[in-house]
Amino acid sequence: MDLLAMSNYIICKPYSFPKGQSGLIIDNNTDCFAEVVKSDAVSTEFKEGDIVWYDRAGASTCYIAGNKYIAFKERNIISKIIGV
């Protein structure tokens, strides 16, 4: 199975930071971080493997083949996390 991002959506999987990650002032249990799985490469700069902080209010969540996926538009991304 493969996913194809459509209509400017970014498809992600939930992301948790490794325990003991230095320099982060966040709650590791938060669910507003995700790893990009697929994006509409024509309209977005985000690529597979990028870690993003997103606004949950604009996101849709579903389970496909037992895996949790999150889909949202680029406007719902607060920040790209670099150096993880």
Side-chain angles (χ1 to χ4, degrees):
M1 180 197 77
D2 199 10
L3 299 173
L4 176 64
M6 305 293 288
S7 302
N8 302 7
Y9 275 94
I10 298 170
I11 302 170
C12 299
K13 284 188 170 186
Y15 182 81
S16 295
F17 290 97
K19 291 188 180 206
Q21 181 77 26
S22 61
L24 294 174
I25 307 174
I26 59 169
D27 179 3
N28 244 357
N29 297 323
T30 189
D31 62 351
C32 59
F33 294 96
E35 180 177 356
V36 175
V37 175
K38 294 287 181 178
S39 67
D40 177 5
V42 173
S43 60
T44 181
E45 67 179 71
F46 298 97
K47 62 185 185 319
E48 186 176 334
D50 285 346
I51 307 301
V52 296
W53 172 20
Y54 69 97
D55 180 2
R56 288 179 295 220
S60 297
T61 303
C62 72
Y63 288 85
I64 302 172
N67 295 309
K68 182 177 181 179
Y69 291 95
I70 307 155
F72 46 81
K73 301 267 185 171
E74 187 171 357
R75 68 177 175 262
N76 296 112
I77 294 178
I78 299 165
S79 179
K80 180 177 173 180
I81 312 297
I82 299 172
V84 178

